[in-house]
Every structure is written in structure tokens, then in C-alpha cells.
Amino acid sequence: MTKRKIVLAFSGGLDTSYALVAFREAGWDVVTANIDTGGLHSGEGEAVRARAEELGAVEHHVVDARSELYDRVVTYAIKANYLRNGAYPSCVGAERLIQAEKVVEVALQVGADAVAHGSTGAGADHVRYDAVIRALAPQLEIVTPIRDERLTREEETDFLRARGYAVSEKVKKYSINEGLIGTSIGGEETYGSWEYLPEDAWTYTKPISAAPDQGVELLLTFHQGAVVEATTAGGVPIEGTGPGAANFAILQALNTLGGEHGVGRGIHMGSTMVGNLARVGFEAPGMLILIAAHRELEKLVLSNRQQATKATLGNTYGDLLHEAVYFDPIMDDFRAFLDSSQRRVDGTVRVLLHKGNIVLLGSKSPYSLLDAATRQGVVYGHGSSAWTGEQARAFAHMYAMPGSIARLAGNPTD
């Protein structure tokens, strides 16, 4: 009798390692799919492959999805200036869309009967995976032992060690998900609301105390809302970027450079789509730098009404993306609005990275509203040749009228 085949989204971490062995012992042929959305560094892909083979996978697939993630997710997150609750750039959560799609593609390619992921039922990732799988391949069974069996990390560790498989202490203690957008870190300290993650929990950002005393100034250039160039203040391309580099190279380089200067750490707390309050550590230097610079350029070229409307619609778009509303047609409508809003978002922003800070030094654009106002004789703080003192007095008089009328009308007593 032919064994049933299952494709497992595999990172090599504790949860997916447990799942692989458990599936194999239950009689499945396990095919592992490692979807690279920016979490694999030099040599790590081979380490994940070796782990899959050690644990008994019959096939291992590696899919490089960084470029697709950047085009479909990152660029619109930047255009929307999206930070969850004003702080968190959605890190790995928004990457699950691409990861789940690629796992389905592998499953269809190898003729699998089922797909699996290592998400728990306590967070939102299991919803993200299931939403994509059910939309794209409803005929595939979804198997989720970590969610269904409600296992603890200690139980998974004991299971693997009892069978002779090594589990590192850091993997045992912390759940770390690294990607192009950023790294999320969960552990004992994040289960409550008081404790901060210790130094050994962070993966690549330096503490402020260890960051260089001398900061680094960057020039970030945007075209229609997309970053197209990143150089030092002297015009030298940041290492890893420049002509011929991948579309995601600037974000990748800013993650490294920002981390060296202590930029990008944080702990986010907020409501999840399943209704609970969650807290997670994150490292996301590149996204925080790019969103800060992009927002600063928008202030120079977009009208107040554009900025206000974008702030609302961009936040709604980002929240829906974060909450796995991937396939509702409204998302296409949001992206059309965001694309239209970026037609004049061309220019360069000066940014200083120093001791954990992102300091916006200045910006310029051929579509600068400030320059256009100056050409009309409107100079803030120094008067204006575009109107007379009498006209200014009349405007102030009329502007105050609604408040004056409301004041005279009085207020009802309690």
C-alpha cells in the first residue's frame, strides 16, 4: 500500500522538527518545504536541509520567495506607512501569505494528500496558513499537530531528545521567526506585560550601549513611493545594493546596518485576530528606517487631505493584510489607491542612524510643495508677498467666527 504524502512547511525549528518526526512515525511520507522569505543566511539553507534529512524527510524543497515577498507585500507596506498599532511592522506575520502559497505549490507539484504547518492555536499564524491553503487548494487536508495537540515546547523537546535528536537550549526557550521584513521573538518574558527580553534573546541588533559612538548618515531615494537607491552621505552605495542588486537588497542591507547602530528593537503588544492580547519582541531596522523616510518625503509632496486619507486607508490595508484578509477584492482597491497616491512621491531623504535613533535630517523632491510655495512668495515665519496684512487679518477674523458663535450659544448644564 502506498503511503500518504504530506508537505510540511519546515523551518528546522522546534515545532516543525517535532511535526516531521511525528508524521513519519504516524506513517506519512514527509516532504519538507523551506520557503526563504529572508530568514536564511549564508549556509543556513544547507543546515535546514540537513536537519530535514536527519529527521527523515523523503524530499526537501527550497523556494526563494524573497523577491515576490518584496514586490507584493513590502512595497505596499512602505507605501501605506504601515505599523501595527503605530509601532510594529508586522514582521513575519505578513510573510505567511507568500510562504503558504509556496507550500501549496510544492504540495500540488509532488501530488501530496495533505499539507502541514507548525503553528500553535494561540496566535494568528495558524489562521494565516489555513486561509491561504483553503483558498488555493481546498482539496488538501490541513494537519497541524502543534495546534491540535496543544503541546508545550518542553514536551516537544522531550519527544525529540528521547529519539536521539539534539535540541538547542535557545530554540527550546525562544520561538524565533526571522524574515526579510523583520524577526519576531517570543519567550517567557513576552507571555506577560512587565518583563523585557534579555540580551541573549535578540538575534542581530546591538544594544544601544554597544552601538558605535559615531552614527552613519544615509541618503534614501524614492521613485513613486518605492525606494530605489541607498547611499552614504558621500554618495557611495550601501554594501549589497547598487546596480544589478536584487529588488530587496536595500531592505536587507538596512536591516544589517541599522542593527549595527542599535536601531529596530521593540516589543509590541496588541489584540490578535482570534481575540486575545499578545506580546512579541521584534527586530526590524530596515522597515522602520524606510517607513520613517518615506513618511517624511510624503509630508513634502502630498497635500494634507492626501496624507490624512492615506493614514486611514493605509492602516486599514495593513491591518487586513496582517489579519490574513488576503483574497478579498477590497485589497486590490486599496493597492490601486496606494499606487495612485505615490505618483509624486519622488525624492531623497537624509537619515542619520545613531545609538538606536532614526533621525530625519532633511528631504528634497522635484514635487516639493514647500518649494512651490516659496516660488509664490509664501515663506513660513517671514511673512508673505502672496497676501496683504489686511487680508491676513480678515482671514483670522473669519476663521475665529465658528468658535465665537459656539461660545456665545453656551453649554447645557449637567
Side-chain angles (χ1 to χ4, degrees):
M1 181 177 176
T2 303
K3 286 186 176 181
R4 297 184 73 202
K5 185 180 292 185
I6 190 167
V7 172
L8 170 64
F10 186 75
S11 67
L14 179 60
D15 293 329
T16 55
S17 293
Y18 167 86
L20 198 167
V21 176
F23 287 146
R24 181 170 52 76
E25 291 185 358
W28 292 90
D29 273 343
V30 185
V31 176
T32 48
N34 183 214
I35 314 303
D36 181 11
T37 51
L40 295 181
H41 301 292
S42 177
E44 290 184 1
E46 286 307 310
V48 174
R49 177 185 295 277
R51 181 67 164 173
E53 293 174 351
E54 174 195 9
L55 299 176
V58 297
E59 293 178 38
H60 181 73
H61 295 249
V62 179
V63 180
D64 186 348
R66 292 173 295 174
S67 183
E68 191 166 348
L69 170 69
Y70 189 84
D71 287 341
R72 292 175 55 194
V73 176
V74 172
T75 56
Y76 285 98
I78 295 171
K79 289 177 180 180
N81 298 321
Y82 179 67
L83 296 173
R84 180 81 166 177
N85 293 331
Y88 177 53
S90 191
C91 288
V92 183
E95 299 180 5
R96 298 308 188 207
L97 162 64
I98 305 298
Q99 291 172 345
E101 285 185 352
K102 297 307 176 185
V103 169
V104 169
E105 288 178 11
V106 172
L108 297 177
Q109 175 186 333
V110 303
D113 303 287
V115 292
H117 55 81
S119 301
T120 72
D125 279 348
H126 70 110
V127 181
R128 297 182 177 109
Y129 271 113
D130 284 21
V132 174
I133 295 166
R134 293 193 185 284
L136 299 182
Q139 74 277 15
L140 294 175
E141 181 183 354
I142 303 174
V143 187
T144 54
I146 310 302
R147 175 173 62 183
D148 297 344
E149 299 171 30
R150 301 178 67 181
L151 297 167
T152 67
R153 297 183 72 77
E154 290 74 17
E155 289 171 331
E156 295 172 42
T157 298
D158 292 343
F159 174 90
L160 290 168
R161 286 179 174 171
R163 288 154 177 78
Y165 300 117
V167 178
S168 76
E169 286 302 316
K170 187 166 185 177
V171 166
K172 176 184 173 184
K173 188 174 182 181
Y174 294 102
S175 175
I176 298 174
N177 292 285
E178 185 174 355
L180 185 64
I181 297 174
T183 297
S184 67
I185 306 166
E188 181 179 350
E189 295 83 5
T190 62
Y191 300 153
S193 61
W194 184 255
E195 298 298 329
Y196 198 73
L197 288 168
E199 194 55 43
D200 64 356
W202 304 101
T203 65
Y204 67 93
T205 56
K206 286 185 176 180
I208 292 174
S209 60
D213 291 332
Q214 184 69 37
V216 59
E217 183 179 333
L218 308 176
L219 301 178
L220 300 177
T221 299
F222 294 83
H223 175 61
Q224 295 188 351
V227 63
V228 294
E229 187 177 26
T231 71
T232 66
V236 178
I238 297 174
E239 184 176 355
T241 69
N247 55 352
F248 53 82
I250 292 174
L251 176 56
Q252 195 166 260
L254 289 176
N255 278 332
T256 301
L257 185 59
E260 284 294 311
H261 287 270
V263 169
R265 286 188 184 185
I267 293 187
H268 172 254
M269 183 163 61
S271 297
T272 73
M273 70 182 77
V274 296
N276 62 322
L277 198 62
R279 189 167 179 253
V280 66
F282 66 90
E283 298 172 287
M287 286 298 286
L288 293 179
I289 293 166
L290 288 174
I291 288 173
H294 177 263
R295 185 188 292 114
E296 187 71 6
L297 184 58
E298 284 193 328
K299 292 177 184 177
L300 185 65
V301 301
L302 298 186
S303 71
N304 286 339
R305 289 187 176 89
Q306 282 181 300
Q307 292 179 60
T309 303
K310 266 197 80 260
T312 300
L313 295 184
N315 191 64
T316 302
Y317 171 80
D319 281 346
L320 291 176
L321 184 69
H322 182 84
E323 295 171 1
V325 183
Y326 301 134
F327 301 110
D328 192 303
I330 190 64
M331 300 300 276
D332 292 326
D333 298 331
F334 279 124
R335 283 187 286 267
F337 167 79
L338 290 171
D339 284 338
S340 176
S341 75
Q342 300 299 292
R343 289 177 296 174
R344 296 197 307 174
V345 186
D346 288 11
T348 300
V349 183
R350 294 174 60 210
V351 180
L352 174 68
L353 308 181
H354 182 236
K355 291 288 188 180
N357 294 299
I358 302 168
V359 184
L360 301 168
L361 301 177
S363 60
K364 63 180 181 179
S365 169
Y367 303 111
S368 167
L369 295 176
L370 185 60
D371 290 348
T374 301
R375 290 195 296 271
Q376 287 222 348
V378 180
V379 181
Y380 179 74
H382 294 280
S384 171
S385 61
W387 54 75
T388 67
E390 184 179 350
Q391 289 170 328
R393 177 183 289 274
F395 175 80
H397 176 78
M398 298 302 295
Y399 189 82
M401 192 61 67
S404 177
I405 292 171
R407 176 72 174 172
L408 287 171
N411 292 310
T413 57
D414 293 333

